[in-house]
Amino acid sequence: YDWPPYSANVILEKYSLKKPFSLYPNTKGYEEMEKYVRIIYNGKVLSLPWFINPQDPTLCPWSNFLAFIGDLIPHQYEDECKV
């Protein structure tokens, strides 16, 4: 394991993109927003295997992101965050 360099940074960008759809020919509308996360490490946009987004491999679907970090989020705050 290598330590990150001094003053390393991680930026998480959250995107909400409208999904286009059409009920009738020659009309345009938009469905619900699809949510994505982009991860930038030291100025470099990352593309990780669990992103699974063929349109843009640098955008991770929100549901995949939550599934990946789910075990890192405390659920029993009082017990897990005691001092």
Side-chain angles (χ1 to χ4, degrees):
Y1 176 79
D2 291 329
W3 285 95
Y6 178 74
S7 74
N9 64 76
V10 176
I11 299 171
L12 300 175
E13 297 178 338
K14 184 179 175 196
Y15 291 87
S16 294
L17 305 175
K18 293 179 182 178
K19 287 176 26 178
F21 81 104
S22 177
L23 291 176
Y24 305 103
N26 300 321
T27 62
K28 290 184 180 179
Y30 292 95
E31 286 184 33
E32 77 279 353
M33 306 288 270
E34 289 186 294
K35 296 178 183 151
Y36 296 93
V37 175
R38 176 174 283 149
I39 302 174
I40 302 170
Y41 175 67
N42 287 338
K44 180 182 176 192
V45 177
L46 300 182
S47 177
L48 301 173
W50 45 274
F51 281 15
I52 310 170
N53 184 4
Q55 290 86 14
D56 185 344
T58 67
L59 288 177
C60 175
W62 184 249
S63 57
N64 291 23
F65 180 72
L66 290 180
F68 185 77
I69 66 164
D71 292 337
L72 304 174
I73 299 172
H75 298 285
Q76 303 294 328
Y77 297 105
E78 303 235 350
D79 294 332
E80 297 180 41
C81 298
K82 285 182 183 175
V83 176

